[in-house]
Amino acid sequence: MIKAKKKFGQNFLKDESIKNQIIQSMPNDDKLVVEIGPGLGDLTKELLKASKRVVAFEIDLELCGYLQNIFKTEIQSGQFELICGDVLDEYQNTSLREEEYHLIANLPYYVATNIILKALDDDKCMSILVMIQKEVAVKFASKSGDKTFSALSILANIIAKSQILFDVGSQCFDPPPKVTSSVLRLVKFSKYLEKDLFETTTEVEQFKTFLKIAFRQPRKVLIKNLQHTYQKEELTKLFDILKIELKSRPHQLKISDYHLLFKNLNK
Ligand code: SAM
C-alpha cells in the first residue's frame, strides 16, 4: 500500500462523481492532454478513456514505478507518456511540450499558483482545468470590482476566460485536505506576446512586477502603493489623463487601466 506523502501535496481524489464532472468539463477536441501529478492514476484512467494522448509528470518516484506498472499497455501503445520528475524543472523558460496541449490536473496545492502562472506563460498551453485550493481559484477567477480582484486575476483574465466550475469538499479526498477545493477553468483567447499587449517576454515580467507593486497593500488606495516606486506628480497627472479616480483602491480598476498605466509609466 502506497502512503500519501505530505511533502508532495498528495491528496488523492476518490469521489467518482467529481472525477466525472472534471471529464465532462474537458475541452472537446483531440489535442494532447497534460496531467501534472497523476498520483495513483485514478484521474489519469478517466483522461485516457476521454482523450487520444496523455502526457503526465510525477515527482514521486515510488508513484512513478506504480504508474508504469498499471499503465503498461497504454505506455507501450504510445497513448500514455509518463515523465518522472519535477514539472517545474521542465517548465524552465520553455514550453512544456512542442505541440499544443490542455492542462488537466488535481494540482498539488503547494505549487499550484506557480504551475498555473507557468501554463499561462506557455503559448502551447491552450486551456487549464485544475482542482486547486478554493481561495486561490477565487483569486484567478475574480473580476474587476470584486474585493478579491488581484494581480493573479489580471494575469489570468488578460489572456483567458476564467471561471470557477464547482467546489469540492475535503471528504472527496484521501487523505482529506484542510481546505475546500474548487475546479478552475481558464480558456485562453490570446497570448501575452500578441502585438496589442506586450512586445517582449521581459515586458511581461515587468508588468508582473508592476502588478506586485500595485497590489502591495490591496486595501490601500492604489496611488499610495504606486508612490513607493513612481513619482507622485507623474502619477497624479496620469490618473487625470486616464480618468482614474485618485481614491481608487487596487481592486476597483479595470484590466485595461492597469495595462495603460503600466505602458505609460514604463515608456
Ligand atoms: N492526480 C491525483 C489525484 O487526483 O488523485 C493526485 C493529485 S495530488 C493532489 C498531487 C500530485 O502531484 C501527487 O501525485 C504528487 O506526487 C504530484 N506532485 C507534487 N509536486 C509535483 C511536481 N513539482 N511535479 C510533478 N508532480 C508533482
Side-chain angles (χ1 to χ4, degrees):
M1 209 352 240
I2 296 179
K3 274 199 177 159
K5 300 175 189 71
K6 230 180 176 174
K7 67 169 177 181
F8 291 140
Q10 292 175 357
N11 302 98
F12 302 116
L13 176 62
K14 289 295 163 202
D15 189 293
E16 289 302 323
S17 91
I18 299 294
K19 265 182 255 171
N20 285 337
Q21 283 185 68
I22 294 175
I23 298 298
Q24 296 302 321
S25 313
M26 282 174 64
N28 198 6
D29 63 31
D30 280 346
K31 285 195 203 310
L32 173 71
V33 166
V34 168
E35 185 188 14
I36 294 174
L40 293 169
D42 292 29
L43 181 62
T44 320
K45 213 176 287 168
E46 302 308 318
L47 291 173
L48 283 163
K49 281 186 209 156
S51 31
K52 274 200 161 165
R53 274 176 320 117
V54 177
V55 173
F57 294 84
E58 177 54 64
I59 197 170
D60 181 345
L61 297 185
E62 187 187 11
L63 283 178
C64 255
Y66 171 80
L67 292 162
Q68 273 157 352
N69 198 24
I70 61 168
F71 293 116
K72 205 182 274 170
T73 316
E74 292 82 352
I75 291 173
Q76 270 167 6
S77 74
Q79 194 203 356
F80 183 46
E81 186 184 345
L82 179 64
I83 297 168
C84 300
D86 185 339
V87 74
L88 290 176
D89 292 340
E90 307 278 336
Y91 255 133
Q92 299 268 343
N93 301 321
T94 147
S95 283
L96 198 54
R97 300 274 92 192
E98 279 176 8
E99 65 185 281
E100 293 184 346
Y101 68 90
H102 298 294
L103 171 61
I104 303 176
N106 169 17
L107 287 179
Y109 297 161
Y110 77 105
V111 277
T113 301
N114 210 344
I115 290 174
I116 296 172
L117 289 174
K118 298 271 183 209
L120 284 171
D121 274 344
D122 185 351
D123 288 348
K124 296 289 185 215
C125 178
M126 297 291 110
S127 74
I128 301 168
L129 177 66
V130 283
M131 174 126 62
I132 53 174
Q133 189 175 337
K134 179 174 178 164
E135 225 183 357
V136 180
V138 166
K139 282 192 183 162
F140 275 106
S142 294
K143 306 287 179 270
S144 160
D146 295 347
K147 283 256 155 63
T148 46
F149 189 61
S150 67
L152 294 182
S153 324
I154 296 174
L155 290 172
N157 286 290
I158 205 166
I159 57 164
K161 181 179 185 303
S162 71
Q163 198 184 358
I164 291 183
L165 300 184
F166 50 89
D167 292 344
V168 182
S170 57
Q171 74 285 357
C172 298
F173 302 87
D174 180 31
K178 290 202 177 73
V179 293
T180 301
S181 309
S182 296
V183 172
L184 169 76
R185 181 163 66 191
L186 302 167
V187 180
K188 291 196 194 167
F189 51 74
S190 174
K191 296 171 184 170
Y192 287 136
L193 286 191
E194 279 184 353
K195 257 191 261 122
D196 52 341
L197 292 174
F198 307 101
E199 276 155 35
T200 59
T201 46
T202 313
E203 206 191 0
V204 178
E205 292 312 308
Q206 284 167 346
F207 185 61
K208 289 181 188 173
T209 308
F210 169 72
L211 291 179
K212 266 192 205 142
I213 298 165
F215 283 89
R216 197 165 168 253
Q217 291 188 279
R219 301 284 155 253
K220 279 215 163 158
V221 289
L222 172 66
I223 203 160
K224 283 259 186 279
N225 285 340
L226 293 176
Q227 267 170 235
H228 283 276
T229 308
Y230 303 97
Q231 295 295 325
K232 189 177 177 186
E233 296 69 41
E234 188 186 6
L235 289 168
T236 319
K237 214 164 111 192
L238 195 53
F239 271 49
D240 184 45
I241 294 169
L242 297 177
K243 303 204 173 355
I244 299 169
E245 279 204 34
L246 288 177
K247 283 187 183 159
S248 301
R249 292 177 197 276
H251 71 278
Q252 293 174 315
L253 264 70
K254 296 195 290 275
I255 293 178
S256 53
D257 291 331
Y258 276 107
H259 192 238
L260 283 170
L261 274 175
F262 166 75
K263 284 279 181 182
N264 281 282
L265 290 167
N266 293 278
K267 262 185 195 161

